[in-house]
Amino acid sequence: MSAVRAYEEGVLAEAEAVLKKAAAGDPERRLEVLEAASCAYAGLNTGEYWAAFCAESRARTGTGEAAIKAQATELLQALDSLACTVIPVPLALASLARVEISHGERRSTGAYYTDFRLARYLAGGVAEHIAPGMRVIDPAAGSGLLLTALTLAVGAQGKVSITDFVANAVCAADLSDLALRGARLALASTTDDLKAVLSLDERLFQGDSLLTNDAVWEQVSSGGFDVVIGNPPWEKLKVTRHELLANAGVVRHYGADYTPHDDLPEALSQERRKMLDYLEQMATGAQLQGRGEADLYKLFLEFSCRRLRPGGRLALLVPAGLIRSQGTEALRRFLFESAAELEFTIVENRARFFAIDTRFKFLSVKAQLAGDAAPGPMVLKHASGTDTGLRETAHVSIERSELAQVRRDLTVPEVRGQAEWELFLRMVRAGTPFGDADGPWRPQLAREVDMSRDRADFRTSPADGHLPVIEGRMVHQYRSRAKAHRSGTGRAAQWDALAATDAVVTPQYWYPANELRRGVAKRTQTVRAGFCDVTGQTNERTLLTAVIPPGVVCGNKVPTVLFNAPSSDGEALVHLWVALMNSIPVDWLARRITTTSMNYFLLMSIPLPPIAPDSPDGARIIELSRELTELEGSRRPTLDAGAAAHARSEIDVLVARAYGLGAEELQLMLEDFPLLDRGQPVLDAEERSTITRDLVLAQAHSGVAAKPWADRVAQAQRLGAVAYVPADYAQFCE
């Protein structure tokens, strides 16, 4: 995937060019230009500002004041038009004052700087609650963008003047003295009172907030802070071989061999010892970190809650894992039990807030820790980016007691509006979690071979006694050999899509059968289900499950499933489960609770409908599932493409009915699959094909109500459209 350029980078490109030319690579010279611009914008005396805060730096750089002021004027001219239409000058100065870090440093520290639009959104939700005498802190402030946005928002509210807010309320902490220098100049640009900035400077703390003694914070704000705002680092506290090499300047792709790096084990051991020492220091006082890997954002979230006084407010940007990961349950539970007000806003990176994958999702979390107020419903919002801020696109209030009933771990389903929440509730109440110990499935899940840990045993060519390895790329709905490996390894591997009838197992690797663990060896001799655990809720389809035949072994990205349900045909259950998981209704449920992977924790929580394998509907679904599976590799298939599509629509309708749902609910679900039918012919005057939706709704309706949908299907079929065909395989429709 090509690198993503952050939107803000483009907005400030002209100003950045001015700064780079002026600074010539010297970070202190860069800050001098920004400080001069800040003073000029606010009406402060630049010389007095430098004398108060930057005497040592000015002595080191030795640059003339007149030259810097000229460059500052040029910078402000570059920002002038932006200030009117896109970004206020103080926020632009905060953005431009960021300390430049390498890709490796960004990865190791989790420092993905805040986009000004996110800062305005987060600050806007807090500013109305700011009153005189309050104290506000950003414990990982960087160059102060969030605090500057909050200062402007507070000023717009009018209850507290900007000068008073800067002089008495704002507190900031960061590891970098240069970052704090940037925060000071950004906040200084909001006031014409140098005394206010002098007072502010006493509350700019350089150090690691997580390791700072409670007594220090008590001195800064007795009894705690009224508001904690921030975008804490998002990074798991672990050391991997790949990241260690990347930080050393070694360019490699995931999946490449580590053999050439002979000194890697010792270096890895040293870095891990350092990390463990750091974790041990931070463990003091942390009680809500849960299981799994330590993550900086989790530590900062707990730190922020501890620093708030009763009735204080929290406003943070964090990964979406907070509302859906197993390892964040303790933090979720604390917020649900301790916050009088609790609001999550889900934001996708499509507006390029960060220079990372545009599909990445994250949260704005706003909470008021309970003082005297009674807890209200949790509010869940969705928002998307505009040129200047965020636009809220959906809003739903969720009673905490209802959520606790249907999600015992308090994971929050990503529903968009009241209709989706009510649909989710109906489906959960009608179904049984797949992993329920007393449920009908009794699944036995396994990762058969690990493509990292067991790498030494893999072969790149077939040999006697070796089994083909099924990888995630090869698995699609009802298909275990959907792609053929052609060349390369890891992320550089090249794979070709295969037509179903022509598909033969063409793997990248083979694995020796005699090296398999005993249980896995037995597993490879039977029919079982498999699913691709690398997925996404915004993909064309989220759940990709297939019947895995005997004689192959699955890599770790294709966990397999067998069933221990009593008095049932195991192979029939495999076909039933594969059909259920590939259905639109179950896929819709999965999209509510997952982001980029389908781990065991999420999979086991999916409520499956009450369909017994020996019931008429169960028997029919199993029959159809067998026929769809047998299409792959069959030169004389029992179903043609149209009949296969009808079989799948019949399964979708049967599954929906088992949940107690009908055509109206299916239509709502299908709105969540906008990428269906790419590559299929489009009806006249329409933007995209909707043949899958139309076929399902024609099947779901009866009588006269089905006719409009059936007519659309017929029109699309005359153009050559085929339902349920993934975009990568549309080329085979002809």
Side-chain angles (χ1 to χ4, degrees):
M1 182 175 292
S2 59
V4 177
R5 186 191 191 198
Y7 167 79
E8 189 180 84
E9 187 179 340
V11 169
L12 295 175
E14 184 181 347
E16 178 62 34
V18 172
L19 273 177
K20 281 191 173 181
K21 180 181 177 182
D26 184 340
E28 290 189 288
R29 176 68 184 269
R30 179 187 180 97
L31 287 169
E32 286 178 348
V33 176
L34 288 165
E35 285 161 344
S38 170
C39 291
Y41 180 78
L44 297 171
N45 183 290
T46 305
E48 291 179 359
Y49 184 96
W50 279 336
F53 306 115
C54 310
E56 292 183 7
S57 174
R58 292 285 294 137
R60 281 193 298 271
T61 59
T63 50
E65 183 174 337
I68 295 175
K69 285 185 174 180
Q71 292 160 345
T73 299
E74 187 180 357
L75 176 63
L76 288 174
Q77 288 172 346
L79 295 175
D80 184 55
S81 60
L82 294 176
C84 299
T85 59
V86 182
I87 178 172
V89 167
L91 298 187
L93 294 174
S95 295
L96 293 166
R98 292 166 180 158
V99 177
E100 292 189 32
I101 58 176
S102 67
H103 174 75
E105 290 172 319
R106 179 176 293 114
R107 291 285 299 165
S108 63
T109 61
Y112 289 89
Y113 291 127
T114 312
D115 180 286
F116 74 93
R117 296 167 296 173
L118 296 174
R120 297 179 83 174
Y121 180 76
L122 205 63
V126 176
E128 63 182 298
H129 304 290
I130 301 293
M134 287 186 172
R135 278 282 165 92
V136 174
I137 188 170
D138 184 341
S143 57
L145 182 69
L146 280 164
L147 289 170
T148 305
L150 182 56
T151 300
L152 296 176
V154 167
Q157 288 288 325
K159 288 188 288 187
V160 181
S161 73
I162 284 181
T163 296
D164 285 346
F165 188 69
V166 171
N168 301 309
V170 175
C171 309
D174 199 86
L175 287 170
S176 168
D177 60 335
L178 290 178
L180 290 173
R181 185 172 168 182
R184 183 176 54 224
L185 74 87
L187 288 159
S189 70
T190 65
T191 177
D192 61 359
D193 189 339
L194 185 60
K195 290 181 180 179
V197 186
L198 286 164
S199 178
L200 163 71
D201 195 60
E202 297 174 0
R203 300 186 306 280
L204 300 182
F205 173 76
Q206 183 187 354
D208 189 329
S209 294
L210 298 177
L211 298 181
T212 301
N213 191 283
D214 288 353
V216 174
W217 299 118
E218 187 65 19
Q219 289 177 357
V220 176
S221 185
S222 178
F225 292 91
D226 299 281
V227 173
V228 178
I229 190 170
N231 175 18
W234 305 352
E235 190 66 20
K236 286 182 170 57
L237 291 171
K238 65 177 182 178
V239 179
T240 66
R241 294 178 295 176
H242 180 83
E243 294 296 347
L244 192 62
L245 290 172
N247 290 343
V250 176
V251 178
R252 66 179 296 278
H253 62 78
Y254 283 103
D257 197 357
Y258 289 103
T259 304
H261 309 287
D262 296 332
D263 58 344
L264 187 59
E266 178 58 30
L268 190 64
S269 178
Q270 291 178 5
E271 289 301 314
R272 284 177 174 166
R273 281 196 295 270
K274 291 179 185 177
M275 184 65 73
L276 287 172
D277 289 343
Y278 183 60
L279 279 171
E280 188 174 348
Q281 293 179 67
M282 288 193 298
T284 304
Q287 301 174 348
L288 304 174
Q289 295 306 295
R291 294 173 292 174
E293 296 168 326
D295 197 305
L296 283 171
Y297 91 84
K298 291 166 57 178
L299 288 159
F300 268 98
L301 176 53
E302 182 172 355
F303 164 88
S304 299
C305 292
R306 288 205 312 268
R307 296 277 71 83
L308 282 173
R309 67 173 81 249
R313 292 184 179 273
L314 181 76
L316 297 181
L317 295 172
V318 298
L322 175 62
I323 62 171
R324 62 171 51 94
S325 295
Q326 187 175 17
T328 54
E329 181 177 349
L331 283 165
R332 278 195 304 276
R333 197 164 294 281
F334 173 82
L335 289 172
F336 270 71
E337 294 173 355
S338 304
E341 297 177 16
L342 183 59
E343 175 186 302
F344 298 110
T345 303
I346 300 172
V347 188
E348 197 170 358
N349 193 43
R350 293 202 179 276
R352 295 180 288 119
F353 300 106
F354 307 106
I356 54 178
D357 191 335
T358 57
R359 296 169 297 180
F360 181 80
K361 289 193 175 183
F362 55 96
L363 305 173
S364 155
V365 53
K366 299 174 186 175
Q368 181 189 24
L369 294 195
D372 299 328
M378 185 204 77
V379 176
L380 181 66
K381 298 179 178 180
H382 286 72
S384 59
T386 68
D387 287 346
T388 58
L390 265 68
R391 177 175 59 89
E392 293 180 356
T393 57
H395 177 289
V396 58
S397 293
I398 297 176
E399 292 295 336
R400 302 188 202 195
S401 58
E402 280 191 324
L403 182 66
Q405 289 171 6
V406 297
R407 302 295 291 178
R408 294 175 185 173
D409 54 19
L410 299 180
T411 47
V412 181
E414 194 172 311
V415 290
R416 298 174 179 84
Q418 204 64 36
E420 286 197 358
W421 172 234
E422 291 172 2
L423 176 58
F424 184 86
L425 285 176
R426 288 178 61 186
M427 296 179 76
V428 172
R429 288 167 176 166
T432 302
F434 174 53
D436 192 319
D438 299 321
W441 294 97
R442 316 285 174 84
Q444 298 174 326
L445 283 79
R447 297 185 189 273
E448 297 181 351
V449 291
D450 190 292
M451 302 188 72
S452 296
R453 186 185 62 235
D454 304 326
R455 173 180 292 276
D457 293 320
F458 282 76
R459 290 180 61 107
T460 56
S461 59
D464 290 342
H466 285 63
L467 300 178
V469 178
I470 303 297
E471 298 184 51
R473 297 280 188 95
M474 302 165 72
V475 173
H476 212 287
Q477 294 189 327
Y478 298 102
R479 299 193 60 184
S480 63
R481 45 192 185 273
K483 288 188 177 181
H485 179 257
R486 294 305 180 207
S487 63
T489 61
R491 290 188 177 176
Q494 298 295 314
W495 296 81
D496 291 342
L498 299 176
T501 54
D502 297 332
V504 294
V505 180
T506 312
Q508 180 176 192
Y509 297 112
W510 285 258
Y511 194 86
N514 61 4
E515 293 292 335
L516 293 171
R517 301 186 307 278
R518 182 180 301 175
V520 172
K522 182 179 179 181
R523 203 177 183 93
T524 63
Q525 298 168 15
T526 188
V527 171
R528 66 269 195 212
F531 64 95
C532 180
D533 74 354
V534 178
T535 186
Q537 61 182 190
T538 58
N539 291 357
E540 187 173 1
R541 295 297 297 265
T542 294
L543 288 173
L544 306 177
T545 62
V547 175
I548 306 297
V552 299
V553 65
C554 290
N556 54 293
K557 295 301 181 185
V558 186
T560 59
V561 190
L562 289 171
F563 303 98
N564 195 31
S567 304
S568 295
D569 177 352
E571 188 171 325
L573 278 177
V574 166
H575 284 283
L576 177 59
W577 186 79
V578 165
L580 294 182
M581 300 303 280
N582 285 332
S583 70
I584 290 287
V586 175
D587 205 347
W588 184 87
L589 277 173
R591 290 161 91 92
R592 309 278 70 74
I593 61 173
T594 190
T595 48
T596 58
S597 67
M598 179 51 65
N599 58 42
Y600 290 0
F601 165 65
L602 296 175
L603 183 77
M604 301 291 258
S605 75
I606 296 175
L608 296 183
I611 300 179
D614 54 357
S615 68
D617 284 353
R620 177 58 176 162
I621 291 173
I622 290 168
E623 177 188 2
L624 294 172
S625 182
R626 288 184 190 275
E627 291 179 345
L628 290 165
T629 296
E630 289 167 1
L631 283 172
E632 189 169 44
S634 175
R635 293 291 181 175
R636 303 182 69 178
T638 56
L639 302 175
D640 61 20
H646 275 279
R648 296 201 60 177
S649 68
E650 184 178 348
I651 290 172
D652 283 338
V653 172
L654 288 173
V655 173
R657 287 176 182 169
Y659 281 114
L661 309 176
E664 183 178 345
E665 290 81 11
L666 277 167
Q667 187 167 353
L668 177 60
M669 290 178 196
L670 284 158
E671 292 175 3
D672 197 47
F673 296 86
L675 300 183
L676 289 178
D677 304 322
R678 290 178 302 160
Q680 298 303 317
V682 181
L683 296 180
D684 288 345
E686 297 190 7
E687 295 183 356
R688 63 183 181 91
S689 174
T690 58
I691 186 170
T692 298
R693 181 202 67 182
D694 301 338
L695 181 60
V696 171
L697 296 179
Q699 181 89 18
H701 284 93
S702 58
V704 176
K707 188 176 185 305
W709 303 106
D711 288 346
R712 288 179 59 84
V713 171
Q715 292 176 47
Q717 288 176 335
R718 284 194 290 271
L719 295 175
V722 182
Y724 288 96
V725 176
D728 287 351
Y729 303 90
Q731 59 184 303
F732 304 118
C733 286
E734 296 179 3

